[in-house]
Amino acid sequence: MLGQDDTCIRHSPVIVCGQDGSGKSTLLSQVFMYSPEWLGNDVVRIIRHVGRSPCTSFTPELLRNLCLHISLLFGFEITPRHYSFELGKLSIWFQDLLKLVEAKDNDLVIVLDNLHSLRCAPNNQASILGWLPWNLPPNVHIILEEEKILGLLKTRISTSENFVYISSLNGQSALSMMQSNLKDNKHVLTSDQWQIVKQRISDKSVSPLYVKLLSSLAKRWPSYKSLNDKD
């Protein structure tokens, strides 16, 4: 898996799972940021936020865009026959490119956020995954965020270690995150204000996004403000 000594070991993509607001996209951003530290400064990185633009909203456009990007970054030949939007031909091209990358000394990291945002026919979700390789070369790493088609992914990847689950924060973890956020913003709550915060999150399982939003609200509280549960 990414960051481990997996020389000559083929592997499957890594799937990041979790509830909305749990921090999946943040984790993917961290993977993208720190992959040179894990894999070397010559690592080639590609990230796509699926559904954010026309070229990432449909499978053929996304796959063609990835193929062109890989070809340009590695200096692979692009011929007129590659200017196709036929999914089958694009899938073959993508697989061929990964074989070429396998012969290189550096690694390729592809990060795909919100894969479920790919548009397809309601009864044909398999088309979202049909092009995705499940047996990757040792120096190719695909990390994607997905929750809505998790069941379909589990039929393709049987190894549990390829699934990274981000759980909700318990009360103590949420309070620690809140303290850290406020410290970063050089803001200190009064005892009464902090007591209100504790009442809101200490006995609950909450998402990191909830804590982030609560921190943004709390850092605007002046020290002279008296709070109650309705504030």
Side-chain angles (χ1 to χ4, degrees):
M1 194 175 291
L2 187 67
Q4 298 179 354
D5 184 11
D6 50 7
T7 305
C8 298
I9 298 177
R10 300 182 72 87
H11 51 261
S12 298
V14 175
I15 317 299
V16 179
C17 320
Q19 296 180 348
D20 291 343
S22 61
K24 300 186 296 295
S25 295
T26 300
L27 178 59
L28 292 184
S29 297
Q30 295 295 307
V31 169
F32 185 81
M33 180 184 300
Y34 290 108
S35 53
E37 182 177 325
W38 302 332
L39 300 171
N41 291 327
D42 59 348
V43 62
V44 175
R45 299 174 293 167
I46 296 175
I47 188 169
R48 291 292 182 273
H49 299 283
V50 179
R52 297 283 184 88
S53 66
C55 66
T56 62
S57 296
F58 298 91
T59 304
E61 283 85 349
L62 173 65
L63 188 52
R64 182 173 180 271
N65 186 272
L66 287 173
C67 289
L68 289 172
H69 200 166
I70 293 170
S71 298
L72 290 171
L73 290 174
F74 282 94
F76 297 146
E77 182 182 12
I78 302 174
T79 64
R81 67 185 179 87
H82 291 138
Y83 290 95
S84 170
F85 283 94
E86 186 178 330
L87 186 56
K89 292 181 179 179
L90 290 170
S91 298
I92 293 173
W93 186 19
F94 188 65
Q95 296 281 358
D96 289 343
L97 287 174
L98 296 189
K99 292 178 183 177
L100 293 174
V101 172
E102 186 174 8
K104 297 291 184 178
D105 293 329
N106 49 337
D107 289 70
L108 169 64
V109 174
I110 300 175
V111 177
L112 301 174
D113 193 8
N114 288 325
L115 187 64
H116 64 268
S117 295
L118 278 176
R119 299 180 187 178
C120 66
N123 59 347
N124 191 27
Q125 282 193 325
S127 65
I128 295 178
L129 303 176
W131 60 274
L132 194 63
W134 307 107
N135 188 22
L136 299 172
N139 62 333
V140 175
H141 313 275
I142 296 179
I143 305 94
L144 56 94
E145 178 271 311
E146 188 47 68
E147 182 69 29
K148 296 183 179 179
I149 55 174
L150 188 57
L152 190 57
L153 286 166
K154 287 182 176 179
T155 65
R156 306 294 181 92
I157 302 175
S158 58
T159 308
S160 60
E161 67 178 15
N162 286 80
F163 292 87
V164 178
Y165 295 90
I166 302 179
S167 58
S168 299
L169 298 173
N170 59 33
Q172 187 56 49
S173 297
L175 289 172
S176 297
M177 181 178 175
M178 182 91 176
Q179 286 178 317
S180 179
N181 289 343
L182 293 173
K183 183 178 180 180
D184 289 343
N185 287 277
K186 297 180 173 58
H187 188 82
V188 178
L189 299 181
T190 66
S191 298
D192 289 342
Q193 291 171 344
W194 189 244
Q195 190 61 36
I196 294 297
V197 170
K198 286 184 176 181
Q199 291 174 5
R200 294 291 177 89
I201 62 178
S202 60
D203 296 326
K204 300 177 182 178
S205 293
V206 297
S207 70
L209 179 60
Y210 178 85
V211 178
K212 182 178 180 180
L213 294 174
L214 186 58
S215 301
S216 298
L217 175 64
K219 70 182 181 182
R220 297 198 298 268
W221 294 341
S223 59
Y224 58 81
K225 184 175 182 180
S226 177
L227 301 176
N228 56 56
D229 288 342
K230 295 182 180 180
D231 288 332

